[in-house]
Amino acid sequence: FPAKAQFLFQPAPYKIMHGGRGSSKSWDFVRALLAIGSTVKLFILCTREVQNSIDESVYKLIVDQISVMGLDDFYVPYNTEIVGKNGTRFVFAGLKNQSRKIKSYEAVDICAVFEANNIADPVWETLEPTIRRDPPFGPFGQGSEIWIEFNPELATDATYKRYVLDPPPGAVVVEMNYDDNPWFPEILKRQMERMREKDYDNYLTNLKP
């Protein structure tokens, strides 16, 4: 794990990773969830703004990382969920179009929100009260956690204002960029240099620390 991602293995009610592309935020989330879920039984809800099918979720990324991490004998992928031998479950839903489904889930230990940059305040206000499990539950026995990762677009975006500019009590907020990722791929480096030459504004928005 990159040094900046180590905080994922410490308790906090909110864990926020934001920054440019190529910084390994999604990979760090998935790998940490798989590692923690292999040591303690957890109910993990993986979400994004809109999910119309399992193909629009991080399901495939998780399945790929299970193999990379050598956890094929521990986690079993099913059609719509992933289950560990200790009872850990990964389920998937869209925040905006499947709010009833999310409200029906009980005892969520970790809610991991991917690509959260465009999520509006009303959606967050619906989600937060749903993900509340008191100690001794949660990944570290201190209650449930909400993990959020996104690439900021505008300083006025609801997610950026809510979790970076004015984060809730106890939140850990970490900015991750490509230079924080020791495994930043060579092909992305070339693309980044080309973007800097051709479209500097886009480069500043998406990649530059």
Side-chain angles (χ1 to χ4, degrees), residues 14-126:
Y14 299 88
K15 295 174 180 175
I16 297 96
M17 294 179 76
H18 67 98
R21 295 177 181 175
S23 57
S24 77
K25 295 185 297 297
S26 296
W27 281 33
D28 294 338
F29 265 32
V30 166
R31 291 185 178 197
L33 291 169
L34 288 170
I36 297 169
S38 69
T39 63
V40 58
K41 179 182 176 181
L42 296 175
F43 185 34
I44 301 170
L45 171 61
C46 296
T47 68
R48 54 183 301 172
E49 182 182 20
V50 176
Q51 178 187 307
N52 294 308
S53 69
I54 196 70
D55 292 336
E56 295 180 352
S57 72
V58 292
Y59 175 92
K60 186 180 186 303
L61 176 59
I62 294 175
V63 171
D64 290 344
Q65 290 304 308
I66 287 171
S67 294
V68 170
M69 296 175 68
L71 293 170
D72 299 274
D73 292 335
F74 185 84
Y75 286 107
V76 179
Y78 295 97
N79 288 336
T80 59
E81 64 179 321
I82 298 168
V83 180
K85 284 188 175 180
N86 64 348
T88 287
R89 290 178 61 206
F90 287 80
V91 297
F92 306 86
L95 291 177
K96 190 173 181 179
N97 61 330
Q98 295 178 314
S99 59
R100 289 186 180 178
K101 180 179 179 180
I102 290 173
K103 288 179 181 179
S104 70
Y105 287 130
E106 294 183 2
V108 173
D109 293 295
I110 300 175
C111 177
V113 187
F114 294 83
E115 301 176 10
N117 47 293
N118 291 322
I119 296 174
D121 274 326
V123 178
W124 289 120
E125 288 164 5
T126 299

